[in-house]
Amino acid sequence: QAEVLYLLAKKTDIDVILAGSTLEDWRRVFPYIEPPRNLHIMGRGFGDDLLEKLYRNARVVVIPITFLSISNRLLEALFYGKSTITTIYAKYLHPELIHGKHVYITDNFVEDIVRLLRNEYMLKVLEQGAKEAYARFFSTKHNVEVVRRLINFSKDVTYLTSR
């Protein structure tokens, strides 16, 4: 993620926030590269209030998933209804997500982020799609319904096998 955000900050005048890493992390990974002035490294371990403020003020959330593992940041971005740009791995993890509706999937982050930031209509489509995707596929209400169906199915199977 840091590499994508670095390139975005370096190639544009956009204020870019790197949350979840410290300046020390940066210097360890990129010892010979100074972060651009418009790359704001926020650190980690901040509370829910600051996290909510970061999401609320973000126009685009960048989540370059690089391997098949659960991404809490992806779920957070959907929860907060933010336009989210990610990789094809998100589609493997969550095949129900639709490119251009729930998330924007790309391999060309910098160019596509700039393109999205210039397209208010697409940002609104992605924001609405993020809210819809969270409510439909990931919300507590949805998960409770899935568990309820599993319990009912389990009861039905138990009843059938005990006859």
Side-chain angles (χ1 to χ4, degrees):
Q1 179 176 348
E3 185 178 332
V4 169
L5 298 179
Y6 166 76
L7 291 171
L8 181 63
K10 184 172 170 65
K11 293 182 177 186
T12 70
D13 62 351
I14 298 169
D15 280 317
V16 178
I17 295 175
L18 173 58
S21 295
T22 64
L23 187 56
E24 292 76 29
D25 296 333
W26 176 273
R27 291 196 170 122
R28 186 173 23 80
V29 175
F30 306 109
Y32 303 108
I33 301 174
E34 197 61 31
R37 292 183 196 272
N38 57 329
L39 178 60
H40 309 283
I41 301 173
M42 298 294 297
R44 59 178 163 263
F46 34 81
D48 291 341
D49 291 343
L50 180 55
L51 184 67
E52 182 179 351
K53 185 175 182 179
L54 288 171
Y55 275 109
R56 189 178 25 192
N57 292 322
R59 294 193 60 215
V60 173
V61 177
V62 180
I63 305 174
I65 300 170
T66 55
F67 49 88
L68 296 174
S69 65
I70 294 172
S71 173
N72 288 338
R73 286 178 289 158
L74 176 61
L75 297 179
E76 288 171 351
L78 295 174
F79 172 80
Y80 285 105
K82 299 315 290 187
S83 300
T84 302
I85 190 164
T86 187
T87 63
I88 192 67
Y89 286 108
K91 191 78 170 138
Y92 294 129
L93 291 167
H94 307 290
E96 62 274 9
L97 296 178
I98 299 170
H99 166 69
K101 180 178 181 182
H102 302 129
V103 295
Y104 192 92
I105 297 171
T106 188
D107 288 328
N108 300 311
F109 278 91
V110 175
E111 294 82 8
D112 285 340
I113 292 167
V114 170
R115 189 176 301 116
L116 281 174
L117 288 171
R118 292 180 180 154
N119 187 335
E120 289 298 323
Y121 174 77
M122 191 64 194
L123 289 173
K124 291 294 179 200
V125 166
L126 289 168
E127 287 172 3
Q128 284 304 114
K131 291 174 189 173
E132 174 194 310
Y134 187 82
R136 192 165 171 208
F137 306 122
F138 306 108
S139 69
T140 302
K141 182 180 177 180
H142 170 75
N143 289 327
V144 166
E145 184 57 36
V146 169
V147 170
R148 184 175 291 130
R149 284 194 310 251
L150 287 172
I151 290 169
N152 288 337
F153 177 75
S154 173
K155 287 178 183 176
D156 292 344
V157 170
T158 303
Y159 174 74
L160 289 173
T161 58
S162 64
R163 291 176 104 192

